[in-house]
Amino acid sequence: MGISGVSSSGERVSGDGFGNFAGTEDTGAFLQNYEFIRVAGEWKSVPLDPPFSEFFAYQVTSISPDFKVSLWSARTPAQPLLEGLYSGPPTGPLLRIGPGEPPGVVEAALTYVGASDDLSHVLYVDSSQGGGEVSHLWPGDTTALGRLPSLYEYAGTGNTEPRLVGVTNVGTPPNIGASHLISNCGIFLGSRPIGDGYNAVSADGKTIFFTAASASSCEESSGPPVNEIYARVDAAETVPISEPTSNACSKCIPSPKADAQFRGASLDGSRAFFTSEQPLLTGITGAGPYLYEYDFNRSKGKKLTLVSNDNPAGVLVQGVARVSEDGSHVYFVAQGALTGPNREGRSPVAGLPNLYVWTGECGEGSTACESPVERTELVATLSSADREDWGRQDFRPVQATSDGHYLVFQSVADLTSDQEGQQEAGQIFRYDAQAGVLTRVSRGQEGYNNDGNSSVYPAKLPRQGYVISNPVQRSTYLAISEDGSRVFFSSEDALTPQAVSGISNIYEYHEGRVGLISDGSDFASRLPFAGIELIGTDASGLDVFFSSADRLVPQDTDTQTDIYDARIGGGPPPAVNQAPCLGDSCQGGGSVLPTPPMTAPVVGEAQASPQGETVGVRRGTQKRKVKHKPRHKKRKRKAKGGAGKRAIASAGGIR
């Protein structure tokens, strides 16, 4: 089963699979969409299948972070060849947003690329890009034919056509034909062609950041001389970001043009970050690329500022690892030595990939102010092998809390003193920007197994994909709790006595201790398609979702991969399965013994209990005794795991 989203509260999960359960009809070779809802501590499966009489073909495109609204593409029996776009609650009813193809086209023509949190503003591109001379552009769209996307927006429902985003118009054009594109060589959501799309659509959908392709990128002559970044605000005003006007930037100077690369924005759309080799501001002396911020909150003439400190020897920004949702923290990598020693006494090394944090914080918890307090500090000097941490495509093994105060990332570099200076396959680190402290979290439980130092088995973080700016991605594959106290990761290294080395397992770090989440022995993870996968936690860190092929709860009666929720506080106790009536036992005169229940593994602190010790597990309001039965020998010593005891419940699976 594939997971498409986890709600921000952790109470709902969406996914799809070829199996049939939860009362669905046989769908044959078609994927069936499901929503899994926790009700009174138990998970219930709800099929997302509108009535066949209304929609004979359909697909769930996206779902909002609160799971109140879903986005669909569907066809009706009355118009089986025409695709329509719809939105509504996951279980219906659905309202028509607008047509999915221009007049005269009888196939799907739009590809979803992003949306606002409530899915009231939805972004699409022409899905025929790369189709040679065939184009599915709406009449009046002047984008060049071929592989160049045209960016469309639907707002609300009941539309007859979408509207173009990358336009120069002042005010909202009445139709596509009255729009004037900034570039006929393509409009890209976020960066071009594939890269950062992080918060390219603001949470309310009122601000959309896009890149207008240069005129030299196609045979058309209409477009800027280089790739430029703009913001379309309230569908009525287009604001130049990477080449701001003098009213927005009084210290900007004329300089040779260079391509700009969108690197992310704050969730509310008020702050945007981009890189460019163009020295836009006075006083810049070193070689680029440079990292800039455009802040709508600042007053006239002060909206553009330099994030990466200047250095006459070169700034050389390599990329951005993560922008916090509130825009107050930007973690970026540069080869320039941009600061002095950090609070742990480490200094950047010129020519190497130095990870920095820039903070621009406002007082009293505010995220918007005229003059935020700015500071740049070294986090660590990484290895060139860590290039995925700042890669151009935003599918990085790096995550930050929404306020940016904590960052978790992967690295093969020797960054902390507890790594003993040896070659590492890859470790997980957490950085506390308030304290300036870097901690390795993928470590052995109380020093177990060489304290997790391994040149063979890397620790890994789940990756959140912002290549498509899907709002539910923010709460899916989440590796760190909102307060930064809990970090979840996977590793094939045995970090606790219960885990087997060489197979993937899920771990939790909390308050300096590591605990095992999975059962430690899912050998299906050795297959090309691993049985173990970390799907992520909710914001509180109380729930952590993962898949496993092992049978971890009594409800699981097959050997296929299933989705589980390991929760602090747990849920109701599993039901005891009674043995069926077989043979002589059906004749009476004797008692039928119940089948011993399969007890759910206890993870975290309880999982680390010594062999055979009885531990208490809290599921809902009931306290039960669970006997921990290890599958293999363990070291005979008492070890402590992560704080808190977790009980596992099934959230769904393949049937």
Side-chain angles (χ1 to χ4, degrees), residues 36 137 179 200-201 206 243 264 271 329 380 382-383 388 451 509 560:
F36 306 100
L137 301 175
S179 301
V201 185
K206 294 182 178 181
E243 197 72 51
R271 306 166 84 165
H329 291 65
L382 306 180
S383 165
E388 286 187 328
D451 199 25
Y509 172 89
Q560 303 301 306

Side-chain angles (χ1 to χ4, degrees), residues 1 21 36 43 45 546 548 561-565 649-655:
M1 167 158 285
F21 56 97
F36 306 100
W43 285 94
S45 303
F546 67 98
S548 175
T561 300
D562 295 282
I563 304 165
Y564 293 94
D565 171 23
S650 177
I654 299 175
R655 294 290 183 263

Side-chain angles (χ1 to χ4, degrees), residues 586-623:
C586 299
Q587 304 302 317
S591 60
V592 179
L593 297 177
T595 301
M598 181 190 301
T599 57
V602 182
V603 296
E605 188 170 286
Q607 186 76 308
S609 300
Q611 191 169 344
E613 180 180 339
T614 300
V615 296
V617 181
R618 185 166 296 279
R619 292 185 174 93
T621 58
Q622 293 187 350
K623 187 173 183 180

Side-chain angles (χ1 to χ4, degrees), residues 508-532:
E508 174 183 10
Y509 172 89
H510 180 63
E511 294 183 348
R513 296 183 294 176
V514 171
L516 181 65
I517 296 291
S518 54
D519 67 348
S521 54
D522 187 342
F523 285 89
S525 62
R526 286 180 172 173
L527 300 175
F529 302 99
I532 287 282

